[in-house]
Amino acid sequence: MKIWKTLLLVYRELDVRLSLARDLVGRDSVEPRTHFHHVVSERELADAIDSFRGFPQLVRELTSGKATIEYEIVRPDRALTSLTPESSSRFWPSPDDIRSDLDEFASPGKYDSIFVFWPQRNLKNGMAIPCDAWGLAMGASEWTNGATYAAIANAPSSAWTNETRGEVWLHEWLHGVCAHFAQRGHIMPERDADGGELHGYARSSTAGWTDYYRDLMSGNVLEDGRRLGIPLAAWS
């Protein structure tokens, strides 16, 4: 059984200044050179953490007990004060933006996976930092202190409940985990964690994409006559 040591860093407050092209100004983006300051509510925080606590159970279930998540939750006593451009008009909290906390709480080799929760959107007035997705992820590297890395934003309560509990955390984690196993010679299906619809799966109103994730995490996604993904034996 593989034990994945995991850290969730929770940032309740965002305090940044960003410059954006004028065509991005609107209810769903900050204005050019605007100071964006937001603190998530207790409800938003509770929704996110409750969902995260469902993530380990999903991993156990979908790997038939071959993988286990052991996690810690840390709430740094500071605001998130910088974001990294994904493009000329999209931003996210990269490892550079939390470097001091990574080095303090997640020194190289301490964790297999790191998650960041951040307040991307003010749910009361609709103002938001432009970002490509609810969650963004990458494989382990020196930049991430040797751990898979994923950032997931705050969201309305309905977003967390409109899927299997813990699913968004699982989805982003799988991007990094698929990279981990691909580097060890296991062939992943096209688009790895994003490949459900491409491979003929349908999203369930109650179970989300977990049918696809189960096959991905057991090496049973059919593609061009081959079964691809992470074999159950690889989790040992």
Side-chain angles (χ1 to χ4, degrees), residues 153-214:
N154 64 318
S157 295
S158 58
W160 303 103
T161 58
N162 191 35
E163 59 173 21
T164 296
R165 182 171 176 245
E167 184 176 347
V168 66
W169 307 93
L170 174 75
H171 177 91
E172 299 305 335
W173 180 72
L174 279 172
H175 284 303
V177 168
C178 284
H180 169 86
F181 284 105
Q183 290 171 355
R184 285 152 181 79
H186 300 288
I187 302 173
M188 296 299 121
E190 185 177 352
R191 299 192 65 201
D192 58 69
D194 292 329
E197 188 173 4
L198 179 66
H199 292 89
Y201 294 78
R203 184 184 183 280
S204 164
S205 60
T206 56
W209 289 101
T210 53
D211 285 346
Y212 174 68
Y213 300 143
R214 180 179 289 103

Side-chain angles (χ1 to χ4, degrees), residues 5 7 19 64 77-78 113 142 145 168 176 179 184 193 195-196 210 218:
K5 295 182 179 179
L7 174 67
S19 297
S64 300
D77 188 24
R78 71 174 187 88
S113 297
E142 185 177 342
N145 283 4
V168 66
R184 285 152 181 79
T210 53
S218 59

